[in-house]
């Protein structure tokens, strides 16, 4: 009898990072792989499932416009519990630090079902940065029985929290598996841009950046574009209404700033490949861009991904307008400074993380 493994996915980055795991598990007759979409995101999640040819078996469709964290958590916990009762999985896997992951871990705990945490052990040590993700991943980590850490330092964070060593595996991050599968196909960007200009790619969505920090980020973008005739900005705008409002109010209508809907993964990878410089508060982009040799200025106070910062290929710049403009301008003007950060290192994985995870699951359940 194949064992049921339930893979739960809520948002765009979870789908990108779970896709290689789902595909790898599906190759084994020992497993009956069931995909649960909570659909904490809707359009952005469906884009990624289509890209990786994954069809969810169960779809909770929980997204509501501008959903509050409390109502999202309550709906998720109830609905996930019902799925666990129906599916009776031998193991549940989920990735990262979203509300989906925290509630999946909690629902599994209440039903005594083993939970495996993919991308385990990331920490900033600050519950408010990122908010609420730091709390979500601490809860998921406390409740998981299998921990798949992307790096040695993530594993060490778990050891400091007294998680038993023999429940942790350092696998690399599955985002690099996903990235490789797309980047190697020379994807097309599908957005009309001026080939004579250097591209600055921007993404922003963190809750702690809503309001003044995001306004300061927009001011920095305006100043950079005004000071440099030879650059253009591409900013796929996250659908969260807080982000849409600010970004469109500040940046709409500038001839060298292209605002667009979130890009499908394939054109977004093409945009990263085409970029000269990336400004982002995203977690996944901090992992992907170094592997593509693209410098990232991280628009945050803290990062749970210190490896690329330590390697010198990602800079933690924060959200003050002058800091962003100062560092970006230096990388636009100084070819040596640029070369030093555009080196192409991949501290987060080698593209084989999913198989390492599946090997552990096989050994445990096979
Ligand atoms: C969520 C995660 C965050 C993750 C991010 C990735 C939580 C609390 N936050 O943040 O950790 O980094 O996803 O992008 O789990 N919306 C749409 N369509 C979509 C997606 C979102 O319209 O496809 C809008 C809706 O109005 C929704 C809002 O964006 O209510 C916010 O979505 P939500 O999942 O609450 O939080 P994110 O800010 O996307
Ligand atoms: N991404 C995408 N289209 C976009 C912006 C981002 O496909 O328009 C991808 C990106 O390559 C990365 C992931 O989405 O793999 C990051 O998602 P997000 O920034 O929303 O979440 P985080 O990683 O911060 O949790």
């Amino acid at each position: 009898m194949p064992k049921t493994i339930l893979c739960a996915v809520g948002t765009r980055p979870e789908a990108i990072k779970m896709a290689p795991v789902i595909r790898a598990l599906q190759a084994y007759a020992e497993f009956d792989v069931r995909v649960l979409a909570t659909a904490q995101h809707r359009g952005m999640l469906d884009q990624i499932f289509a890209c990786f040819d994954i069809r969810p078996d169960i779809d909770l469709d929980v997204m509501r416009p501008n959903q509050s964290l409390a109502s999202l958590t309550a709906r998720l916990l109830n609905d996930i519990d019902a799925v666990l009762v129906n599916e009776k999985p031998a193991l549940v896997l989920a990735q990262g630090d979203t509300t989906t992951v925290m509630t999946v871990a909690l629902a599994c705990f209440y039903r005594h079902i083993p939970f495996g945490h993919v991308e385990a052990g990331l920490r900033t040590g600050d519950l408010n940065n990122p908010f609420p993700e730091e709390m979500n991943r601490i809860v998921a980590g406390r409740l998981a029985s299998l921990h798949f850490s992307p790096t040695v330092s993530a594993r060490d964070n778990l050891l400091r929290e007294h998680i038993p060593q023999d429940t942790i595996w350092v696998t690399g991050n599955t985002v690099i598996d996903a990235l490789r599968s797309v980047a190697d196909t020379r994807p097309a960007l599908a957005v009309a841009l001026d080939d004579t200009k250097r591209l600055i790619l921007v993404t922003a969505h963190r809750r702690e950046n809503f309001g003044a920090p995001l306004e300061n980020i927009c001011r920095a973008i305006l100043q950079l574009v005004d000071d440099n005739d030879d650059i253009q900005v591409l900013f796929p705008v996250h659908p969260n209404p807080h982000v849409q409002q600010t970004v469109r109010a500040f940046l709409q209508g500038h001839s060298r700033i292209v605002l667009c809907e979130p890009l499908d993964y394939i054109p977004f990878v093409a945009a990263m490949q085409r970029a000269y410089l990336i400004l982002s508060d995203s977690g996944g982009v901090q992992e992907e861009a170094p592997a593509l040799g693209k410098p990232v200025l991280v628009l945050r106070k803290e990062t749970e991904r210190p490896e690329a910062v330590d390697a010198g290929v990602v800079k933690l710049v924060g959200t003050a307008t002058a800091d962003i403009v100062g560092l970006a301008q230096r990388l636009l003007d100084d070819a040596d400074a640029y070369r030093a950060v555009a080196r192409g290192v991949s501290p987060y994985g080698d593209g084989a993380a999913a198989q390492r995870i599946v090997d552990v699951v096989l050994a445990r359940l096979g």
Side-chain angles (χ1 to χ4, degrees), residues 61-319:
D61 201 22
V62 297
M63 196 199 88
R64 302 287 176 271
N66 222 354
Q67 57 208 345
S68 78
L69 289 173
S71 70
L72 175 64
T73 303
R75 268 181 292 123
L76 280 169
L77 196 54
N78 258 324
D79 292 1
I80 291 165
D81 184 54
V83 173
L84 296 182
V85 170
N86 269 334
E87 298 283 324
K88 302 184 181 46
L91 175 70
V92 178
L93 295 175
Q95 178 282 334
D97 52 23
T98 63
T99 305
T100 289
V101 177
M102 188 266 290
T103 48
V104 165
L106 191 55
C108 286
F109 172 71
Y110 288 148
R111 292 278 170 196
H112 304 288
I113 293 170
F115 169 67
H117 191 201
V118 177
E119 198 182 81
L122 273 60
R123 300 286 185 270
T124 60
D126 179 350
L127 276 180
N128 290 313
N129 283 293
F131 174 90
E133 290 85 353
E134 179 78 354
M135 178 275 292
N136 286 341
R137 59 197 173 208
I138 289 171
V139 172
R142 185 65 189 78
L143 300 177
S145 36
L146 308 177
H147 307 260
F148 302 108
S149 286
T151 63
V152 169
S153 82
R155 178 202 60 195
D156 291 346
N157 290 335
L158 293 174
L159 293 175
R160 273 191 289 276
E161 292 173 14
H162 309 292
I163 303 290
Q165 188 157 11
D166 61 355
T167 64
I168 311 173
W169 291 266
V170 178
T171 59
N173 197 310
T174 56
V175 79
I176 304 298
D177 305 27
L179 178 69
R180 288 250 173 109
S181 71
V182 172
D184 295 349
T185 64
R186 297 177 157 266
L189 175 52
V191 179
L193 292 172
D194 180 345
D195 286 341
T196 65
K197 308 229 180 285
R198 289 184 288 181
L199 178 66
I200 300 193
L201 176 65
V202 185
T203 79
H205 71 85
R206 299 243 84 86
R207 275 163 202 263
E208 60 275 17
N209 281 345
F210 291 172
L214 187 55
E215 290 171 14
N216 291 337
I217 292 166
C218 291
R219 288 191 185 96
I221 293 167
L222 281 173
Q223 190 175 332
L224 284 166
V225 173
D226 287 343
D227 292 350
N228 299 274
D229 288 345
D230 70 329
I231 66 167
Q232 65 191 324
V233 168
L234 175 62
F235 193 158
V237 188
H238 192 285
N240 191 305
H242 295 278
V243 180
Q244 289 279 343
Q245 249 163 26
T246 305
V247 171
R248 296 202 179 275
F250 273 79
L251 302 181
Q252 189 111 47
H254 195 294
S255 62
R256 278 181 291 117
I257 300 176
V258 178
L259 303 181
C260 64
E261 298 298 305
L263 292 172
D264 288 358
Y265 191 55
I266 292 172
F268 188 75
V269 171
M272 287 193 286
Q273 289 177 314
R274 165 90 159 68
Y276 179 83
L277 177 64
I278 302 175
L279 310 184
S280 180
D281 65 10
S282 163
V285 172
Q286 286 178 65
E287 295 156 343
E288 294 163 330
L292 298 173
K294 302 298 175 173
V296 186
L297 306 190
V298 178
L299 307 167
R300 295 173 49 180
K301 273 202 223 153
E302 323 244 15
T303 181
E304 58 291 277
R305 294 166 170 88
E307 295 84 353
V309 177
D310 293 346
V313 296
V314 160
K315 301 284 179 191
L316 196 57
V317 69
T319 56

